[in-house]
Amino acid sequence: MANGRIGGGGGLGKCCAGFCSFLFAAGFIVLIYWAIFQPHHIRATVETAALSDLAVVSGNNASSAAAAVSYHLAVTLNIYNPSVRVKINYDAIDAELRFRDAAVIGPAANDTSPSVFFQRGRTRDDVKLEFDYGRPGVAVPGDVAGELEKEMKIGGTVSLELYVDVRVRYVFRMFKLRQKPKIWCSLSIPVKAEGRRRGVGGPIASGERCKVKY
């Protein structure tokens, strides 16, 4: 009877030791994540943006609910890696342009340069995004086209939102962590009529910080 109790205690001790080892390993992984990766989220800033040939084409008749927006927009986005030791591989960059945070007027950037790149610690890299939608343009709801046309006619600023989805790999020695940060940038571009052209446009050099969510 005594020997049976001793054997049972030994098995229980091994189980406890294994569980403690698991907790230690899990805790170590969490510590690595928070101490190395989490405090060092990338930062993004709009350096420049140039809008041209912005025009709204209404539907064929007054009852039509659809319209189209044509334009060209070139944006330079500066991305900063604040970490000293962690390097970042940018595997994919996808961008879209919205108006009033709802209507998509640019399904995706026609050109992203560079499309993939490697970033060392404490360095900045520029990514150029280009949206080029000539006529017939991008289809949008009629009410959205009306609101955009109002901003154009006032002659002040056109407010647009840039959304960028990024796929990255954080690299620290043997450790690698995949993330999909989302970058949101507000673009308030002063516009004016472009000579004989039917559209409007204008440049900005803002240096304004964007929001980054993980």
Side-chain angles (χ1 to χ4, degrees):
M1 295 295 291
N3 290 338
R5 286 195 297 270
I6 294 174
L12 182 62
K14 290 181 180 179
C15 181
C16 289
F19 182 69
C20 290
S21 298
F22 170 77
L23 288 180
F24 178 79
F28 179 74
I29 293 174
V30 171
L31 179 63
I32 288 292
Y33 174 76
W34 283 100
I36 298 175
F37 298 106
Q38 189 70 12
H40 303 296
H41 288 172
I42 62 174
R43 300 172 191 168
T45 305
V46 174
E47 291 298 306
T48 62
L51 177 67
S52 61
D53 300 332
L54 175 62
V56 175
V57 181
S58 302
N60 295 329
N61 53 66
S63 62
S64 176
V69 177
S70 61
Y71 66 97
H72 178 271
L73 176 68
V75 180
T76 299
L77 189 66
N78 183 269
I79 300 179
Y80 176 59
N81 175 14
S83 176
V84 177
R85 299 179 180 85
V86 178
K87 302 175 179 61
I88 304 176
N89 280 305
Y90 291 79
D91 296 326
I93 302 174
D94 298 308
E96 69 177 20
L97 193 68
R98 299 183 188 179
F99 176 69
R100 297 288 174 88
D101 198 33
V104 177
I105 61 174
N110 298 104
D111 185 33
T112 300
S113 178
S115 56
V116 297
F117 63 97
F118 174 76
Q119 188 175 49
R120 299 185 180 278
R122 289 287 178 90
T123 58
R124 297 179 179 273
D125 289 275
D126 285 339
V127 176
K128 295 183 179 180
L129 309 173
E130 185 175 0
F131 297 85
D132 190 9
Y133 294 97
R135 293 177 182 267
V138 180
V140 297
D143 58 339
V144 172
E147 291 296 322
L148 179 57
E149 204 163 18
K150 284 181 183 178
E151 289 196 5
M152 294 167 55
K153 289 180 178 179
I154 291 173
T157 61
V158 170
S159 300
L160 304 172
E161 289 85 35
L162 177 67
Y163 286 79
V164 184
D165 292 331
V166 186
R167 292 206 307 269
V168 300
R169 283 175 292 147
Y170 285 95
V171 180
F172 176 73
R173 296 181 182 177
M174 67 178 67
F175 299 100
K176 292 183 180 181
L177 178 67
R178 296 182 182 272
Q179 291 279 5
K180 295 180 179 180
K182 297 181 180 296
I183 302 172
W184 176 85
C185 308
S186 177
L187 305 177
S188 295
I189 305 177
V191 297
K192 60 181 180 179
E194 298 176 314
R196 295 182 179 179
R197 298 179 183 178
R198 297 177 61 183
V200 300
I204 60 170
S206 66
E208 185 174 346
R209 284 276 297 271
C210 303
K211 295 180 180 179
V212 181
K213 293 184 178 180
Y214 278 74

